[in-house]
Amino acid sequence: MFDTTQLNQQMTYFDGHDEIWLFGYGSLIWKADFTYLERRPAYIQGWERRFWQGSHDHRGTPEAPGRVATLIRAKDSICHGMAYRITPEVLAPLDVREKNGYLREVTPLTFLDSQGHDAGQTQGLIYLATEDNPAFLGEAPLSEMAHQIALSHGPSGSNKEYLLNLASALRELGVEDMHIFALEKQLGRF
Ligand code: BEZ
């Protein structure tokens, strides 16, 4: 399996910083199994969340990969999620957890206050799986993607659980994500 751990460890953009903001748009929204100093709802501009990345090691297997979230560039879109203020040593285990194609990238992020209004900007990190990584699956008809998600299981559990947890976490945040909610609805057919 292609392994991005080493590449991420060479990412030095935040070297020397005591604290970093990490933006979560997928499992990090509902599965923050790391120590953080603070977390705040936030969004990033120019991106859309899509279930276009294959998962061979968490929600599927090499023979039957699941589908998990990545980000696709979309100039006029925004992607909502959760930002975590962390110390840099938190990244090493995350690099290992997300080694199946995700690379760290720097992006501006905007915080939201409790009313949903913009509340400041900073630079943060995202884990991004681009179309040139070997596990990338890309677009497929919604019903095909939902079928694949319904059938896939991996060491971290079912792919279905991943999607349903993400959909309910987004709902809790008050976020309307048409792609995720449409997939969730399709999942009910299988
Ligand atoms: C996230 O929730 O931001 C995330 C998704 C996939 C890999 C790493 C992070």
Side-chain angles (χ1 to χ4, degrees), residues 23-29 69 98 102 127 162:
F23 178 81
Y25 60 87
S27 58
L28 293 186
I29 299 182
E98 304 301 346
Y102 288 94
Y127 280 91
Y162 175 106

Side-chain angles (χ1 to χ4, degrees), residues 24-31 49-55 57-60 66-71 97-98 102 127 129 149-150 152-154 156-170 179-180 183-184 187:
Y25 60 87
S27 58
L28 293 186
I29 299 182
W30 54 271
K31 192 178 177 199
R49 182 178 6 245
R50 289 286 181 271
F51 265 65
W52 290 5
Q53 173 67 1
S55 178
D57 56 348
H58 284 295
R59 301 287 166 170
R67 273 184 179 265
V68 290
T70 187
L71 294 169
R97 169 179 147 183
E98 304 301 346
Y102 288 94
Y127 280 91
I149 291 167
S152 299
H153 293 262
S156 298
S158 76
N159 204 174
K160 179 176 174 174
E161 178 199 43
Y162 175 106
L163 172 60
L164 295 181
N165 283 347
L166 179 56
S168 68
L170 290 173
H179 176 72
I180 302 302
L183 267 178
E184 182 193 33
L187 201 57

Side-chain angles (χ1 to χ4, degrees), residues 25-53:
Y25 60 87
S27 58
L28 293 186
I29 299 182
W30 54 271
K31 192 178 177 199
D33 55 359
F34 51 85
T35 305
Y36 57 86
L37 306 168
E38 179 188 2
R39 69 174 184 168
R40 297 177 66 182
Y43 67 84
I44 54 175
Q45 213 147 11
W47 298 98
E48 281 177 0
R49 182 178 6 245
R50 289 286 181 271
F51 265 65
W52 290 5
Q53 173 67 1

Side-chain angles (χ1 to χ4, degrees), residues 1-15 20 22 27-28 33-34 57-58 86-105 125-128:
M1 192 181 74
F2 180 61
D3 185 332
T4 50
T5 311
Q6 294 305 319
L7 290 170
N8 277 323
Q9 312 270 301
Q10 290 160 20
M11 204 283 202
T12 55
Y13 186 88
F14 284 114
D15 272 13
I20 297 166
L22 172 66
S27 58
L28 293 186
D33 55 359
F34 51 85
D57 56 348
H58 284 295
I86 58 169
T87 54
E89 64 270 15
V90 168
L91 293 173
L94 277 176
D95 290 343
V96 175
R97 169 179 147 183
E98 304 301 346
K99 63 183 183 298
N100 190 201
Y102 288 94
L103 288 171
R104 292 191 221 154
E105 179 146 332
L125 279 179
I126 51 174
Y127 280 91
L128 179 65

